[in-house]
Amino acid sequence: MLLSRSGLPDRSEWDAHVTGRAGRAIAAIRRMEAAGAEVVVLAADVTRADDMRRVRDEVLARFGRVDVVVHAAGLPGGGMAEVKERAAAEEVLAPKVAGTLALRDAFGDLDLEAVVLCSSITAVAGGFGQVDYCAANNFLDAHARGEHGWRAAAVVSVNWGRWLEVGMAAEVAAPAGFVALRRGDRIRAVDHPILTARHEPDGDGLGWVGGHVAPETHWVLDEHRISGVPVLPGTGHVEMARCASDAVLPPSGGVVELRDVVFVEPLSVADGASAEIRVVFAPEAEGAEFQVRSVIGGRERVHARGTAARVDPGPAPYVDVAAIAARCAPAGTDQGGVPLSGLLELGPHWGRNMRGCHIGRNEALGLFEADDLVALDLDRWGLHPALMDSATSFTWVDIQGHYLPLGYGRITVRDRLPRSFWSHMRFRDSDTDEVLAVDVTFIGMDGTVLAEMSDYVLRRIDTDAVVAGVTAHAGAQRAAADGSVPDEPSAPEGSAGRDGRAAAAGGADTASEVGIRPADGADAFRRLLAVPLGPQVVVAATPLAGYLANVGSVTQETVETELDPAAVAERPARPADEGYVAPRGEVEAAVARLWGEVLGGERIGVDDDFFELGGNSLIAVQLIALIRKELGVRLPMRSLFEEPTVAGVTALIEQTRAATAADAPSAPTGQTVIPRLPRRSEQQ
């Protein structure tokens, strides 16, 4: 018999609940019943004595007896003790204190085999900002040790350590260092296939938008696979960022525009597993910074980032589609889908949605019409991931090797994708085959612009490294489910190229993550009931002495590692100084200094190669962001691939400044142009 304060929907409605806490609880109950259990779910407040007496009557009437009582209710604490309000602390204390006493009053006179009070290791070790939660769990420990008043054969308080994949930590884990997920957030429903709720904070901030995704419930994962592993397409991240931005940005001001969108790490979810999705925001001068994050097994990872704002783009421009088609040659439609990467295995939503294609000099025009399958839920997406994926990569000419998306410079979304539309791709010239860049416009059948994407960049990948990364993730997720510990994956030979090392490393740490796996926790539970270990037992994945030593000892280096593992990863030693050429001006000196900040080292020469010094695409994005903030110049993401030296980047900066000055309106006679000053955020 399972109790919760809110209970579950009526069984006739269970099929409609596949995500969220209710969906996960329903799935678990169905697994229990499939294994032969009879499960009853009741709505009851454990802190109310009359509710517990009602539960006693129901369970005795149905089953005749009670063998074991497991008290696992609780609320997370958090916040500084000096400013914590009493009411907030009492909410955290109530399930543990009042709930335990109400259970004892209702069931204490029965001859029970055991009473298990689920306490926390926080009661033993403490924890920063956990004064109320620590106190609540200490009550359970003291109750089990004292004259508790139960007639049970054993009363034990279990100080559980951190669990992987399930439990309170997995439910409430907050994005460290970016946005605070605070109790008291107001939750509003979001109508979207992946994102289902907007969390609005009571105080300052923009809140966050969340949901859940799994291969069994979401075609966008199930039908997009690398080496058999479900991987969310980059367009899925873009669509979630668009939807979340539309939900949190103030409604006045125009349409959503995404800028400097970067794909940091693939989001792979093994068959049988699920991921919580969080799009979190931090205010920025012209809108907000966002990060698309996942939580799997209690581990949070960043998969995409960028900025979002509302802009007034003016009236939708008209595009003469017939003129574009006239200067291009008709081509077949058999190259539809995403031909850039033979790694991908695509499902029916990526099927025959292209109806026509014209290819010209450095441009292509495609006609897309959603088939009946895609049309089923087309109205729930803004930028339908499968349609957008196909419409941004339906043809490439003379391309060798494998490429995957790196990001977008700018995406302006004027309207949702309709069932039929045109896609106009314009290919940018590049001096390197490391990256490909294209501008894309989605056009309605009447010629009006629906969405514009500039500087869509794809980068060459090491296929072995990408496969190693996503399969390592999948293996770790499966291991967390069955309780086994997979071998630590190693990068394949030759994978430490410009992005090979970063791609291969993705997911390697998940396999060795410290925590109680569900199968191990169940086994520990059976053991502590079978053997009289005493009234208080600590169950953790690491020795208690080491855990106690680490509490409160977080150093700045540890914080930097948690927030940005790539920025402090081991890098190759700097080449010998015999080829060193010192910076020759203010801009070169500033660029060299910024390189030193993200790569490590003080003697960065103007001819040093960014990637030979250990750079990768993620660090490149960080460097470009620093250049924008400090030097006031917005370089495209492909810059470092095309010009990987300090001298080359400096030349791009000076060219951009010259072009900006040439485009600036000249001052009328007798007037002075007021120069643009950097915003405060740029000065910082």
Side-chain angles (χ1 to χ4, degrees):
M1 184 162 282
L2 304 178
L3 312 182
S4 71
R5 188 163 54 182
S6 58
L8 288 176
D10 187 87
R11 281 182 177 261
S12 63
E13 303 174 9
W14 278 16
D15 289 342
H17 295 271
V18 294
T19 61
R21 295 191 68 173
R24 293 193 294 277
I26 289 169
I29 291 170
R30 283 174 163 169
R31 290 195 298 269
M32 294 163 65
E33 291 176 335
E38 181 180 352
V39 182
V40 178
V41 181
L42 293 179
D45 185 344
V46 73
T47 66
R48 295 176 57 89
D50 54 345
D51 268 19
M52 293 302 98
R53 286 192 291 270
R54 172 176 58 84
V55 169
R56 171 194 167 114
D57 293 341
E58 291 195 37
V59 68
L60 291 178
R62 180 149 187 171
F63 297 109
R65 73 177 196 273
V66 178
D67 298 320
V68 178
V69 172
V70 180
H71 181 25
L75 288 175
M80 294 177 61
E82 291 84 351
V83 298
K84 180 177 292 293
E85 295 182 1
R86 182 183 183 91
E90 287 177 344
E91 283 188 28
V92 176
L93 289 164
K96 304 285 189 179
V97 179
T100 301
L101 299 179
L103 282 168
R104 182 200 59 190
D105 292 345
F107 295 92
D109 63 328
L110 301 179
D111 293 322
L112 304 172
E113 293 181 15
V115 175
V116 180
L117 307 177
C118 291
S119 181
S120 168
I121 199 170
T122 302
V124 178
F128 182 77
Q130 295 290 308
V131 59
D132 45 5
Y133 190 64
C134 181
N137 287 288
N138 264 291
F139 172 83
L140 298 182
D141 301 341
H143 182 80
R145 288 179 173 275
E147 298 295 330
H148 44 66
W150 296 83
R151 283 175 55 180
V155 177
V156 57
S157 182
V158 184
N159 301 109
W160 293 105
R162 179 170 178 265
W163 284 62
L164 297 177
E165 189 174 350
V166 297
M168 191 180 297
E171 294 285 353
V172 303
F178 193 77
V179 63
L181 308 186
R182 297 172 295 189
R183 284 173 26 78
D185 287 2
R186 299 184 303 275
I187 301 177
R188 298 177 184 269
V190 174
D191 183 16
H192 189 265
I194 298 177
L195 303 177
T196 57
R198 177 193 173 187
H199 298 251
E200 302 175 336
D202 284 336
D204 296 333
L206 295 171
W208 57 288
V209 182
H212 287 80
V213 65
E216 287 75 16
T217 56
H218 292 79
W219 61 260
V220 72
L221 257 180
D222 184 46
E223 296 183 18
H224 188 272
R225 294 172 178 255
I226 293 179
S227 192
V229 178
V231 178
L232 191 72
T235 51
H237 294 290
V238 170
E239 165 60 11
M240 289 191 297
R242 179 211 61 80
C243 172
S245 300
D246 194 39
V248 305
L249 293 175
S252 60
V255 302
V256 170
E257 184 172 88
L258 307 177
R259 305 164 184 165
D260 300 325
V261 179
V262 181
F263 303 122
V264 178
E265 177 185 349
L267 169 53
S268 57
V269 183
D271 289 311
S274 66
E276 180 184 358
I277 302 295
R278 296 172 178 167
V279 186
V280 297
F281 292 85
E284 200 236 7
E286 296 179 355
E289 295 183 45
F290 69 82
Q291 293 182 357
V292 179
R293 295 170 171 255
S294 72
V295 181
I296 304 176
R299 177 73 174 181
E300 196 165 34
R301 312 184 81 94
V302 177
H303 301 281
R305 61 178 62 178
T307 61
R310 288 198 186 273
V311 300
D312 181 6
Y318 172 81
V319 177
D320 190 345
V321 176
I324 299 173
R327 63 176 181 258
C328 298
T333 61
D334 56 347
Q335 73 269 40
V338 188
L340 287 179
S341 178
L343 291 172
L344 293 175
E345 305 160 29
L346 302 175
H349 281 83
W350 273 263
R352 307 293 298 182
N353 295 307
M354 189 165 71
R355 297 293 182 261
C357 180
H358 293 73
I359 299 177
R361 177 178 171 79
N362 291 330
E363 66 178 335
L365 180 68
L367 173 61
F368 290 83
E369 180 180 338
D371 61 19
D372 291 342
L373 175 64
V374 173
L376 286 175
D377 64 348
L378 183 61
D379 60 338
R380 299 194 64 204
W381 303 93
L383 297 173
H384 189 281
L387 281 179
M388 182 180 177
D389 206 2
S390 299
T392 53
S393 55
F394 60 90
T395 184
W396 296 83
V397 181
D398 298 330
I399 297 301
Q400 303 295 324
H402 295 288
Y403 292 78
L404 286 178
L406 174 62
Y408 296 79
R410 190 182 301 262
I411 304 174
T412 306
V413 185
R414 295 173 178 269
D415 204 349
R416 293 173 176 267
L417 288 184
R419 184 159 186 173
S420 300
F421 65 95
W422 296 91
S423 174
H424 184 208
M425 299 175 61
R426 285 91 64 203
F427 306 101
R428 292 174 177 252
D429 293 329
S430 176
D431 296 330
T432 176
D433 60 359
E434 288 292 330
V435 295
L436 307 174
V438 63
D439 297 332
V440 186
T441 303
F442 293 159
I443 308 163
M445 299 309 293
D446 61 354
T448 58
V449 171
L450 304 170
E452 299 167 278
M453 287 142 278
S454 64
D455 218 29
Y456 171 41
V457 178
L458 301 100
R459 62 179 170 88
R460 184 190 293 275
I461 60 167
D462 183 313
T463 56
D464 290 339
V466 172
V467 170
V470 298
T471 53
H473 272 147
Q477 292 162 21
R478 286 190 291 267
D482 63 21
S484 62
V485 180
D487 294 333
E488 191 77 18
S490 58
E493 292 183 10
S495 65
R498 294 198 168 192
D499 270 302
R501 181 182 56 208
D509 56 350
T510 305
S512 58
E513 187 181 354
V514 176
I516 301 171
R517 302 185 186 278
D520 293 336
D523 184 59
F525 185 86
R526 289 190 292 267
R527 288 170 180 262
L528 64 87
L529 285 182
V531 180
L533 299 176
Q536 185 177 358
V537 179
V538 177
V539 180
T542 57
L544 181 60
Y547 185 92
L548 294 172
N550 287 330
V551 172
S553 63
V554 179
T555 64
Q556 182 61 33
E557 181 180 0
T558 304
V559 172
E560 291 175 354
T561 302
E562 286 295 322
L563 295 182
D564 190 8
V568 295
E570 181 182 352
R571 303 187 181 102
R574 189 196 179 285
D577 283 349
E578 52 263 23
Y580 173 76
V581 178
R584 295 158 294 199
E586 287 187 14
V587 178
E588 279 191 347
V591 173
R593 174 173 51 79
L594 294 176
W595 279 34
E597 290 181 11
V598 298
L599 292 173
E602 298 178 356
R603 289 175 61 81
I604 305 293
V606 299
D607 295 326
D608 288 339
D609 187 288
F610 175 80
F611 297 100
E612 291 179 359
L613 294 180
N616 58 41
S617 60
L618 175 57
I619 302 175
V621 171
Q622 296 169 339
L623 178 57
I624 289 171
L626 288 175
I627 290 173
R628 175 171 60 87
K629 291 183 177 181
E630 183 154 332
L631 301 179
V633 176
R634 185 185 293 271
L635 295 178
M637 287 182 292
R638 66 180 186 278
S639 298
L640 279 169
F641 292 91
E642 297 177 340
E643 297 289 350
T645 65
V646 171
V649 171
T650 301
L652 288 177
I653 292 172
E654 292 174 343
Q655 292 171 13
T656 303
R657 284 178 169 175
T660 302
D663 292 340
S666 58
T669 304
Q671 295 186 15
T672 302
V673 174
I674 300 176
R676 174 190 178 277
L677 297 178
R679 298 189 303 271
R680 184 173 182 177
S681 62
E682 292 177 341
Q683 292 173 335
Q684 293 172 341

